Amino acid sequence: MLKGKKILLGITGSIAAYKAIMLVRELVKAGAEVKVVMTPAAKDFVTPLTLSTLSKNVVLADLFDADSWANHVMLGRWADVMLIAPLTCNTLGKMSYGLCDNLLLAIYLSATCPVAVAPAMDEDMWHHATTKENLKRLQAHGVAVIPVEKGELASGLFGDGRMAEPTSIIAFIEQHFFLEKDLQGKTAIVTAGPTYEPLDPVRFIGNHSSGKMGVAIADELARRGAAVTLILGPSALKPTHSAVKLQKVQTAEQMYEAALTAFEKADIAVMSAAVADYSPALKAPEKIKKTGDSLQIELIKTKDILKSLGAVKNTKQLLVGFALETNNEKEYALDKLNRKNADMIVLNSLNDEGAGFGHDTNKITIFEKEGKEFAYERKPKQQVARDIVDRIVKMIYA
Ligand code: CTP
């Protein structure tokens, strides 16, 4: 999978840098082309000579020397993936705030390729609130964080914070960036975000959905080769993958029309939008003025998009719905699965910390038509999207 792939490996000043030697060796063995860039502190732990010998490339460390300037922009463009392993607290902090006092940071800030980091630190540093915040910022900027491992640490303590082993790092890179395009040739539609139901020209009824989960799913489907149409309600977000066709809508009715039309040619439909269940019966042509102590608004039921697709779907189409519940979660999720004729329901419970609206993370349980049930840990929404698409792939080729 890594054959011919260009990996730019950044090494920072941690005792775990000794593992970077094995990492380079394994990457080269897997057929990757590896260039190494080190921070000045990294040279205290491993020598550039070892790394240049193993990578068969000159090791870079300085922004410029007496007679040359390292082209950080071109290095970031050369790579298919920039991997920083080990990542120290110091470099993590600098990356998260955009500081740029060495070549590695300059490359990171100008890199157009995806970036992954493998943190390495002592347990207390790993659990420090600042470290957590910095990692969160990095993830929000699209950086993939390779989970640390538990074990003996340089301090002699035992706990979280050990850099992942080179084999785990390579597995992560393959899985994350070089996955086979298992949805090549498939067409998918995704609904996401809230809908706004207008009351008058200035007011609407809406909800707190950010659209993050649906946008992440659309990006993941596209990354795996599908041609994706994202039907997105009012949300500031945009898909990052260029193969996602974005169709913006405002109301439940517009989302319904767009989804029904696009579904005709779709193999996969993921309905993650928080569609308004009711919409004002009348939209006032002018701004509604304050006239009394109370105001009655008649609301009428919107069309249920998921249910409508379930009613027309053929046996080859795969339909995925979401359920956001506060109580009797499983019972309601299974009811939605049957009632709306979906193949899969992704449940997120508002009782779970870090799940649902607005969060960068989500904690889901997937229920499938054949009675299968999969519960997942709380994870960043990009990784949740990967779990959901993994199940979609399994079902579609079953
Ligand atoms: N959904 C939809 N169109 C609607 C309402 C909901 O497509 N008008 C979809 C959502 O995108 C989601 C699923 O239905 O995939 C579940 O939505 P939810 O509002 O939780 O379910 P309801 O059917 O409204 O059930 P209830 O109000 O009983 O929770």
Side-chain angles (χ1 to χ4, degrees), residues 94-330:
K94 289 181 184 175
M95 285 169 76
S96 96
Y97 283 92
L99 300 186
C100 184
D101 63 358
N102 62 42
L103 179 61
L104 188 150
L105 291 163
I107 297 173
Y108 165 66
L109 286 170
S110 45
T112 50
C113 62
V115 180
V117 294
M121 50 197 84
D122 234 289
E123 186 174 33
D124 296 332
M125 290 170 100
W126 174 249
H127 288 300
H128 196 280
T130 312
T131 307
K132 286 187 184 156
E133 272 170 30
N134 285 340
L135 279 169
K136 226 167 135 186
R137 281 172 64 84
L138 234 55
Q139 283 177 318
H141 300 161
V143 173
V145 177
I146 303 173
V148 294
E149 292 176 2
K150 209 184 214 29
E152 198 171 326
L153 302 163
S155 59
L157 295 172
F158 185 91
D160 294 327
R162 267 173 76 98
M163 184 176 87
E165 290 302 316
T167 48
S168 311
I169 294 178
I170 290 175
F172 183 98
I173 297 290
E174 286 178 337
Q175 169 72 19
H176 216 82
F177 302 112
F178 302 117
L179 208 67
E180 300 298 328
K181 301 242 179 253
D182 41 17
L183 290 175
Q184 194 81 53
K186 300 285 181 202
T187 301
I189 63 170
V190 179
T191 63
T195 62
Y196 284 181
E197 309 303 320
L199 283 161
D200 67 15
V202 292
R203 302 181 181 94
F204 60 84
I205 297 176
N207 61 65
H208 291 301
S209 168
S210 62
K212 265 183 207 154
M213 194 62 249
V215 172
I217 292 170
D219 277 331
E220 178 64 15
L221 287 163
R223 202 175 66 80
R224 302 199 21 185
V228 184
T229 301
L230 172 64
I231 302 164
L232 182 63
S235 158
L237 298 177
K238 281 198 178 88
T240 51
H241 202 294
S242 55
V244 178
K245 192 176 130 216
L246 180 63
Q247 193 172 350
K248 292 288 298 251
V249 294
Q250 288 277 324
T251 64
E253 181 62 27
Q254 289 167 357
M255 191 175 271
Y256 169 84
E257 293 294 340
L260 228 74
T261 308
F263 190 56
E264 281 171 24
K265 294 197 181 109
D267 303 293
I268 300 158
V270 182
M271 303 289 102
S272 69
V275 189
D277 287 330
Y278 293 91
S279 179
L282 291 173
K283 180 190 163 195
E286 308 296 342
K287 187 181 166 203
I288 298 169
K289 302 300 281 180
K290 277 194 294 290
T291 48
D293 287 341
S294 68
L295 176 68
Q296 302 264 333
I297 296 167
E298 191 192 348
L299 299 174
I300 50 169
K301 217 170 181 178
T302 56
K303 292 177 188 139
D304 190 318
I305 306 167
L306 177 62
K307 200 170 169 191
S308 307
L309 299 192
V312 296
K313 100 179 154 77
N314 64 38
T315 50
K316 289 200 179 116
Q317 289 175 306
L318 188 95
L319 182 60
V320 181
F322 271 68
L324 180 68
E325 306 291 348
T326 54
N327 59 315
N328 298 338
E329 289 97 343
K330 183 171 174 175

